[in-house]
Amino acid sequence: QVRLVESGGGLVQAGGSLRLSCAASGIIFSINRMAWYRQAPGKQRELVASITSGGGTTYVDAVKGRFTISRDNAKSTVDLQMNSLKPEDTAVYYCNSNRLSREFWGQGTQVTVSS
């Protein structure tokens, strides 16, 4: 059974920081592309950041220079360090794993940034 469990969301003031973590089980973590998506109220889910099995990273333009995705294959975790948070970063953040188009999702964690 595949499980992706996110943690670390919460309420923070603009300019603050949060670190999200996703713990994976039931997959061969090291060979999966891992990613963080977010969905704000009334908007479509969007890709925020991804990291390949080899450690290559991509970011949506809106978070470049502020967010950092990292993975620990030994612990089967993927983190998202979020700095200089803005109110527009408010959303539910989801962890995603993908291998050959077989993908899984976590349940999501709420991030709220107050102005």
Side-chain angles (χ1 to χ4, degrees), residues 12 19 32 51 54 78 84 96-97 99-101 104 109-110:
V12 65
R19 188 176 184 90
N32 275 262
I51 185 166
V78 57
S84 302
N96 171 274
S97 70
R99 168 73 178 168
L100 299 177
S101 299
F104 299 95
T109 186
Q110 177 70 47

Side-chain angles (χ1 to χ4, degrees), residues 1-43:
Q1 181 183 2
V2 177
R3 292 191 69 201
L4 301 176
V5 180
E6 301 100 335
S7 62
L11 173 65
V12 65
Q13 287 189 331
S17 298
L18 283 175
R19 188 176 184 90
L20 305 183
S21 186
C22 171
S25 60
I27 58 173
I28 305 174
F29 183 84
S30 61
I31 64 172
N32 275 262
R33 168 187 173 273
M34 301 300 297
W36 287 93
Y37 286 74
R38 67 185 179 187
Q39 187 166 20
K43 294 188 177 181

